[in-house]
Amino acid sequence: MVDDRPHGHGLVGAVADIFALKSRDVRILNNISYALSGERTNTADRNVDVTYDHNIYYGGLKPEVQGRNDVIADPKLVNPGTSPGSDFRLRADSPGTSFPAVTTDITGAPRNAAAPDRGAYAFRAAS
């Protein structure tokens, strides 16, 4: 799983926002988890060789598994929510805007090679 921004997936019960379950050889990289209060952000349930890294976790419970470069912080999204006006792009003050990781975003747009960011969409400063 790379470049995902789950938002409030805990609505379906005890399901974590970013997770591998009973999995082997999985990489969960460069994601932003925006969990509901009291819900799990990820899980270590019966996994073998599952790597979490370069993710941001916000809300919910402390992650059961954290990669060396994972961050627990408000990702500072433009307008997170479930309405048609929701906007999951990063704000300029987001902790995910300076991050060496993947070179393109979910749309295929190139990331800034000097300061790539986390999450699905490459950060673009307002002009």
Side-chain angles (χ1 to χ4, degrees), residues 1 15-29 31 40-52 57 64-65:
M1 174 187 296
V15 175
D17 266 14
I18 298 176
F19 69 99
L21 177 63
K22 302 180 199 174
S23 299
R24 177 181 300 277
D25 194 26
V26 175
R27 305 294 171 259
I28 300 175
L29 311 170
N31 301 285
R40 291 168 34 179
T41 52
N42 72 15
T43 181
D45 193 7
R46 295 171 272 180
N47 292 321
V48 176
D49 191 27
V50 174
T51 301
Y52 288 83
Y57 299 98
E64 292 178 21
V65 183

Side-chain angles (χ1 to χ4, degrees), residues 4 6-7 11 14 29 39 48 56 62 67-68 90 92-93 98 101 104 112 122:
D4 192 21
H7 179 267
L11 293 171
L29 311 170
E39 296 295 335
V48 176
I56 296 176
K62 181 180 179 196
R68 188 179 79 226
L90 300 174
D93 60 342
S98 179
T104 59
N112 178 336

Side-chain angles (χ1 to χ4, degrees), residues 28 69 76 86 119 122:
I28 300 175
N69 299 296
K76 299 187 179 179
S86 298

Side-chain angles (χ1 to χ4, degrees), residues 95-110:
T97 57
S98 179
F99 165 73
V102 292
T103 58
T104 59
D105 75 4
I106 195 169
T107 68

